[in-house]
Amino acid sequence: MKTAYSRVSRSILMATAAFAAPVALAQTAPQAAPQAAGEATAASDGTEIIVTAQKRSENLQNVPISIQALGTQKLDQLNIASFDDYAKVLPSVSFQSFGPGQTQLSFRGITSGGDGLHGGSQPTAALYVDEVPVTTIAGAVDLHVYDIARVEALSGPQGTLFGSSSLAGTLRIIPNKPDTKGFSGRIDVSGNKVGKGTGGGSVEGFVNIPLSDRAALRVMAFYQHDGGYIDSIPGSRTFTLGDDNPDTNVTVNNAKFVKDNVNKTDTAGGRAALKVDLDDNWTIQPSVLYQHQTTRGSFLFDPRYGDLKVTDFGPSYNRDAWALATMTINGKIGNWDLTYAGGYFDRRVENKADYSEYSVAYDQFQGGFYTYFATADGGFLDPTQQVHNHDEYTKQSHELRISSPTGERYKLVAGVFYQRQTDRIVADYYINGLAGIPNSPAVPKAGDDLFATRAYRVDRDYAAFADGSFDITPQLTLAAGIRVFKVNNTFIGFSGFKSGITAGNCVPVVADDRVCNNFDRQAKQSGETHRVNLTYKFDPDHLVYATYSTGYRPGGNNRRPNVNPYVADTLANYELGFKTAWFDRKFRLNAALFYEKWKNLQYGLSPVGSFGVTNIYNAGDARVYGAEMDFNLRLGGFNLSGSGALIDGKLTTDFCSFDANGNPDCTLGVVAAPKGTPLPIQPKFKGNMTARYEFDLGSAKAFVQGTLNHQSGTRSYLTTNEANLLGRTTGFETFDFSLGAKVSGFDVSAFIENAFDKRGILSINTVCTPSICGAGRRFYPIKPQVFGIKVGHDL
């Protein structure tokens, strides 16, 4: 980890050195450069938000894309600090999660429910911090939301401008930029308590310091502690070891892991950004962002033992530390805008979890397979299995693009993109003491591992893109875009049991801790994505649009030698929408209707007989019908806003059952999921509405606010057998309330979230595949009732 962060540190030091001279020159420069694209934020009255969804600054209401943007003011009003917070108010966003930093993001129901394997498919949705992608295979980073200009949720394929991981949509988090106009700063302090859990709180602050009339520095730092609410209660279990003889039974308990409110989270980090206007046309902005997050305990509960209860038989934690160094250069060539955006992202994740349900399943259903381990003294090992995962991610990305002047009949954005992302994977599925028993099945050079993975994955992306529009008339605009790309992905390493080595199918390795390589795969692919859009503006406040767009996700190879490779899946999106403002823009109403065809959807599953090894399959084709809308009404001090999505996704072909090698085979006469099966995870309806009233209270500016959130139930898994084992989630509603005032320069507020302590379930998961561990299903709940106070002051 130190080595990785030293690389980031060197990048930052080099950037600082490179900009030291320009800062010095800027000290005597007479005039600041104009605001660069991407720096604009919400207007002070909240009626206008400037977004950069099309790689240029535009009013949200003029962008013919289904997009929801949460500006600084809205983020603060809704008390948004984490992924779960903003996903709650983005209706087209759905996700599966095992806790903070362990989330798989999707848009418009384009998810098979089988993503999140670090050796599997790339995500269907991209995550960006400003101009730079931070999408990682497996869990998305849970960026702490503070001093953020806006969150942009772009629904539908965005591959023309944002690349292959934007199959279904793109989520962008855009921090506030340094400002040369003057000093500003703020500090916020909060304290809260989970209704039946423990307390938490946060300290956050930022300063914006003009260094001259051409240079400014912005620095932000924070610490947040979230209290726990899930109890690990006493439990015991008896392993029969596949033998009816009670003398071979092993009984264990979890006494040393019993604790109330085990799932606590600590998150800390900061951001530093520098802006230097070299002259009237050129601006350079280096920045660095760092975050460290530690979670303890399980964020899922086991309904067999009661509400918010688990019986863990091993330690659980997740440590997620990452750094992002970025460089943005904005300039002009003639009257065209030139932009370079580059980034280096380094992430280290260490995760430990109780995997004992796997041991229980094999003891009960496999006749003691992988639970019967005799020791030298005539006894037997406790076969309780744990899993310890390490992922070392890196990502470098570079984009160079040029944009035509605004205000012309034609507009063009064109550029080139390169990205290289890696993941060094170490996964230990271990049983304490396994290496020390006679004839041990432990994997050599892997301690007590019964099953081990040592692998290195590299995904390379090369692309060129162009996106343009032409005003046929002052009201009618035709737009089109294309992105051509090439991917080159490699995956090499060892994944398996000791038997996989002795079978002689491994190539020896001496360079690291892999005893051998039992897979060495490469996937090279090329293709294109495109879009066409027609927009008609009746007047500045009313437009309608029609869009056809496509998305693409590369295929790849499986680890098991007899399992076929999986091919790319693609998405075709047909969309009609409108954006309108009425009554002197006091009322805004936007909506979109869409139909999407998903071909060769990729799906991760461990079929019976695969010994828990997950393979990626092309499950067939699917379609999604849907509608999205958002509105905002302002009447004096009263504001009513809301958004919602109605989404219906189903398979349009059978997903066949599996042959002896674990490949889908439609000739067997059995289907894993028939045509018409609903797609999992995405609620059929998800929506929210917020009412806020601001008024004078003496010399204070006061407010009261209430928010309603609702979502319907969801299917938990795509395949029928696994879906039946896990069951469905049920729909739920929650209410959040807050009130406060600005008094003597201090913003003081009190809030209560999930006021009636509704136990909404977002997803149902298992620690291993449901066909093996389905009896040990666990529920990922929304946060229980939380109440607290917050105090903020502008510096």
Side-chain angles (χ1 to χ4, degrees):
M1 184 183 296
K2 291 181 179 178
T3 302
Y5 289 127
S6 70
R7 293 198 300 268
V8 178
S9 299
R10 287 196 296 271
S11 300
I12 298 164
L13 288 172
M14 291 172 64
T16 303
F19 298 126
V23 170
L25 291 172
Q27 305 249 345
T28 59
Q31 184 178 356
Q35 181 170 284
E39 291 184 28
T41 58
S44 59
D45 63 0
T47 61
E48 180 179 289
I49 293 181
I50 303 300
V51 297
T52 52
Q54 298 189 120
K55 302 286 188 179
R56 61 171 76 237
S57 296
E58 299 172 287
N59 185 334
L60 172 66
Q61 289 300 102
N62 293 331
V63 180
I65 296 175
S66 182
I67 173 175
Q68 188 172 358
L70 305 173
T72 304
Q73 188 179 55
K74 194 70 171 180
L75 293 168
D76 181 64
Q77 290 175 356
L78 296 177
N79 203 28
I80 289 174
S82 67
F83 177 89
D84 282 20
D85 294 335
Y86 59 75
K88 179 171 67 175
V89 295
L90 298 175
S92 293
V93 171
S94 58
F95 63 96
Q96 286 178 288
S97 184
F98 282 88
Q102 305 171 69
T103 297
Q104 292 81 54
L105 164 71
S106 61
F107 278 81
R108 287 184 170 176
I110 301 300
T111 176
S112 64
D115 297 328
L117 179 69
H118 46 199
S121 301
Q122 293 187 16
T124 63
L127 178 63
Y128 273 66
V129 174
D130 204 356
E131 295 270 8
V132 176
V134 293
T135 315
T136 49
I137 297 166
V141 294
D142 193 353
L143 173 66
H144 181 79
V145 178
Y146 183 73
D147 192 32
I148 297 297
R150 63 191 179 276
V151 174
E152 295 180 4
L154 284 60
S155 297
Q158 306 295 324
T160 304
L161 292 177
F162 292 99
S164 65
S165 289
S166 298
L167 176 75
T170 300
L171 186 67
R172 302 181 66 212
I173 302 173
I174 302 171
N176 284 311
K177 305 293 194 300
D179 188 353
T180 59
K181 295 177 182 177
F183 175 86
S184 62
R186 184 174 176 85
I187 186 168
D188 290 279
V189 179
S190 70
N192 61 67
K193 185 181 182 302
V194 180
K196 297 179 182 178
T198 58
S202 64
V203 179
E204 307 160 309
F206 78 87
V207 290
N208 181 88
I209 306 170
L211 304 177
S212 73
D213 58 357
R214 282 191 176 272
L217 175 70
R218 193 178 189 101
V219 179
M220 180 275 292
F222 70 91
Y223 168 74
Q224 178 168 324
H225 173 75
D226 295 313
Y229 47 84
I230 290 180
D231 299 336
S232 181
I233 63 174
S236 65
R237 56 173 57 130
T238 297
F239 294 97
T240 65
L241 310 185
D243 195 331
D244 293 334
N245 184 355
D247 293 336
T248 64
N249 288 358
V250 174
T251 299
V252 299
N253 64 61
N254 69 337
K256 63 181 179 179
F257 302 109
V258 173
K259 188 177 181 180
D260 289 343
N261 307 311
V262 295
N263 61 321
K264 300 179 177 68
T265 303
D266 289 282
T267 311
R271 182 179 70 250
L274 178 67
K275 176 185 177 182
V276 180
D277 295 327
L278 300 179
D279 58 27
D280 291 348
N281 294 323
W282 289 87
T283 299
I284 302 177
Q285 298 183 68
S287 71
V288 62
L289 174 61
Y290 173 79
Q291 180 170 298
H292 185 281
Q293 183 177 74
T294 299
T295 66
R296 305 168 187 84
S298 174
F299 282 76
L300 290 77
F301 71 92
D302 191 330
R304 295 175 298 179
Y305 303 112
D307 183 37
L308 303 179
K309 309 292 184 186
V310 295
T311 54
D312 277 349
F313 284 78
S316 295
Y317 61 80
N318 191 75
R319 298 190 182 106
D320 187 355
W322 55 273
L324 174 65
T326 67
M327 181 77 70
T328 304
I329 302 173
N330 299 104
K332 284 187 175 293
I333 298 178
N335 60 351
W336 287 59
D337 295 321
L338 182 71
T339 300
Y340 166 78
Y344 182 80
F345 178 60
D346 190 282
R347 184 184 187 191
R348 298 291 183 264
V349 179
E350 180 189 6
N351 176 275
K352 202 167 191 179
D354 179 12
Y355 209 63
S356 60
E357 290 291 345
Y358 187 93
S359 304
V360 171
Y362 271 96
D363 187 61
Q364 293 177 349
F365 305 119
Q366 300 292 331
F369 191 57
Y370 295 132
T371 60
Y372 185 97
F373 303 115
T375 60
D377 60 5
F380 298 92
L381 281 184
D382 172 4
T384 298
Q385 192 172 156
Q386 310 294 323
V387 59
H388 195 183
N389 291 311
H390 304 259
D391 284 274
E392 299 179 4
Y393 300 100
T394 69
K395 180 195 290 279
Q396 61 169 302
S397 63
H398 307 273
E399 180 173 294
L400 182 66
R401 68 178 184 267
I402 191 166
S403 304
S404 64
T406 58
E408 302 289 343
R409 288 186 69 185
Y410 67 88
K411 299 180 183 67
L412 177 68
V413 176
V416 292
F417 176 83
Y418 168 72
Q419 175 179 273
R420 183 181 189 270
Q421 54 184 329
T422 70
D423 184 11
R424 190 172 298 279
I425 304 165
V426 175
D428 300 299
Y429 299 82
Y430 68 94
I431 296 170
N432 288 322
L434 187 66
I437 66 173
N439 302 313
S440 174
V443 177
K445 297 175 66 174
D448 288 329
D449 284 15
L450 177 63
F451 185 98
T453 297
R454 305 286 188 271
Y456 185 60
R457 174 173 181 165
V458 182
D459 292 60
R460 306 166 188 86
D461 297 87
Y462 312 82
F465 60 90
D467 194 276
S469 64
F470 178 72
D471 295 334
I472 301 171
T473 71
Q475 289 79 35
L476 184 65
T477 300
L478 176 66
I482 188 170
R483 187 184 191 96
V484 294
F485 58 85
K486 185 170 105 175
V487 297
N488 181 5
N489 303 333
T490 56
F491 195 27
I492 184 172
F494 172 80
S495 184
F497 300 95
K498 180 181 179 181
S499 58
I501 300 169
T502 57
N505 61 347
C506 280
V507 178
V509 174
V510 295
D512 55 31
D513 59 353
R514 284 175 284 167
V515 63
C516 66
N517 289 331
N518 62 358
F519 62 91
D520 185 355
R521 311 289 172 83
Q522 184 176 32
K524 291 184 176 181
Q525 298 164 25
S526 61
E528 59 82 23
T529 60
H530 53 272
R531 79 173 186 107
V532 179
N533 171 272
L534 192 64
T535 301
Y536 187 82
K537 286 188 176 181
F538 297 94
D539 55 52
D541 291 335
H542 304 85
L543 69 79
V544 294
Y545 69 87
T547 298
Y548 164 66
S549 58
T550 64
Y552 177 96
R553 179 169 56 164
N557 291 287
N558 284 294
R559 291 173 290 171
R560 293 183 66 199
N562 295 323
V563 178
N564 295 330
Y566 55 96
V567 302
D569 54 357
T570 59
L571 189 70
N573 174 62
Y574 306 85
E575 184 173 323
L576 296 172
F578 64 81
K579 295 194 171 184
T580 61
W582 307 83
F583 312 116
D584 295 326
R585 301 185 180 178
K586 292 183 174 61
F587 178 61
R588 185 193 74 229
L589 177 64
N590 302 332
L593 301 172
F594 59 88
Y595 167 58
E596 297 186 333
K597 296 169 64 176
W598 190 8
K599 185 175 179 59
N600 292 322
L601 69 94
Q602 296 171 15
Y603 181 64
L605 181 67
S606 298
V608 176
S610 66
F611 302 105
V613 178
T614 300
N615 307 312
I616 308 301
Y617 304 101
N618 293 106
D621 301 337
R623 60 87 181 145
V624 177
Y625 297 116
E628 300 162 327
M629 64 81 65
D630 67 86
F631 73 91
N632 190 84
L633 173 66
R634 292 184 298 110
L635 297 173
F638 177 75
N639 194 88
L640 182 67
S641 61
S643 58
L646 182 65
I647 295 173
D648 180 67
K650 291 181 179 179
L651 289 179
T652 56
T653 61
D654 290 340
F655 180 19
C656 299
S657 194
F658 306 92
D659 62 20
N661 290 323
N663 292 305
D665 186 352
C666 295
T667 65
L668 299 176
V670 180
V671 294
K675 176 182 177 181
T677 297
L679 296 180
I681 309 306
Q682 173 71 43
K684 194 163 187 177
F685 177 76
K686 180 181 176 183
N688 63 85
M689 188 162 56
T690 298
R692 182 181 177 92
Y693 181 60
E694 298 177 349
F695 56 96
D696 293 331
L697 187 64
S699 60
K701 300 290 186 181
F703 75 89
V704 292
Q705 177 178 288
T707 298
L708 164 67
N709 298 286
H710 169 83
Q711 71 175 59
S712 58
T714 62
R715 184 182 176 95
S716 301
Y717 233 73
L718 177 63
T719 51
T720 302
N721 182 53
E722 284 74 16
N724 291 339
L725 287 169
L726 296 182
R728 290 179 55 88
T729 69
T730 57
F732 61 89
E733 304 85 25
T734 63
F735 293 87
D736 305 332
F737 301 104
S738 61
L739 57 86
K742 189 176 186 68
V743 183
S744 302
F746 286 87
D747 294 293
V748 182
S749 61
F751 60 87
I752 181 167
E753 299 174 350
N754 193 2
F756 305 109
D757 199 27
K758 194 68 177 283
R759 195 68 66 243
I761 305 302
L762 294 170
S763 61
I764 302 176
N765 304 327
T766 58
V767 294
C768 67
T769 184
S771 61
I772 298 173
C773 302
R777 63 180 186 154
R778 291 193 173 185
F779 291 1
Y780 182 67
I782 60 174
K783 288 182 182 179
Q785 180 192 78
V786 179
F787 57 89
I789 58 172
K790 185 175 182 178
V791 179
H793 181 61
D794 292 326
L795 301 179

